[in-house]
Amino acid sequence: MNETNQQESLTVHVLNPVVEKINYLLRRFDKTEWSGPAWYRIDSRTDKGFPLKVTLVHFVPIDLGDASATEMDAEILGPMLPKIYKELPALTDAYLGMIHSHHGMGAFFSGTDEKALLEQAPQEGLFFSTVVAQIG
């Protein structure tokens, strides 16, 4: 029996209000990187449970930094979460990840981003991260 190994790819959908917010921040802070927590909803999975379609449903920019410092500060994020979940209770069913911008370069995972992903990701489970940019 021949077994076919098909790779299924993940699709990320971004809601229109979120796209508008991203575009505004990219224009407003075109020379400064920004970052913050982002909430992702898994819309469909493979039969083995891997996400096939994910929707970025909300984010809050909380950090203005530079090209080597994009992080989520627990001292800022911790007190914010109960307020956010009270205002938007549907987010309690979403996965908490992050979003950040790259100014002056394209949207890709840099070495710093890859290191942050490894540090932020839980031992088990998923950690979604989105990089946005005006170019590339």
Side-chain angles (χ1 to χ4, degrees):
M1 172 191 243
N2 275 353
E3 199 173 306
T4 305
N5 184 11
Q6 275 190 319
Q7 239 183 341
E8 304 199 41
S9 59
L10 173 68
T11 301
V12 179
H13 177 254
V14 183
L15 298 176
N16 283 337
V18 175
V19 171
E20 291 172 12
K21 189 175 181 180
I22 290 168
N23 287 334
Y24 168 78
L25 291 167
L26 288 172
R27 286 189 307 273
R28 174 70 176 86
F29 301 105
D30 62 336
K31 297 193 180 0
T32 306
E33 290 198 4
W34 51 265
S35 65
W39 285 264
Y40 299 83
R41 180 184 69 225
I42 297 176
D43 299 318
S44 65
R45 296 176 182 261
T46 66
D47 57 352
K48 294 182 180 176
F50 188 80
L52 278 177
K53 182 179 178 193
V54 173
T55 300
L56 172 56
V57 294
H58 184 67
F59 76 95
V60 179
I62 62 171
D63 182 64
L64 288 175
D66 60 38
S68 63
T70 301
E71 58 192 44
M72 289 196 295
D73 187 337
E75 290 178 12
I76 296 171
L77 183 58
M80 289 177 65
L81 287 179
K83 294 174 189 172
I84 292 168
Y85 290 136
K86 185 175 181 179
E87 289 177 20
L88 300 166
L91 294 181
T92 60
D93 293 330
Y95 286 81
L96 180 60
M98 70 178 293
I99 185 171
H100 79 276
S101 68
H102 280 173
H103 70 282
M105 57 184 180
F108 65 94
F109 289 111
S110 67
T112 300
D113 297 333
E114 289 177 6
K115 182 180 174 191
L117 284 170
L118 291 172
E119 291 172 359
Q120 298 283 338
Q123 290 294 84
E124 295 181 25
L126 298 168
F127 184 80
F128 297 106
S129 182
T130 300
V131 180
V132 297
Q134 284 189 330
I135 59 172

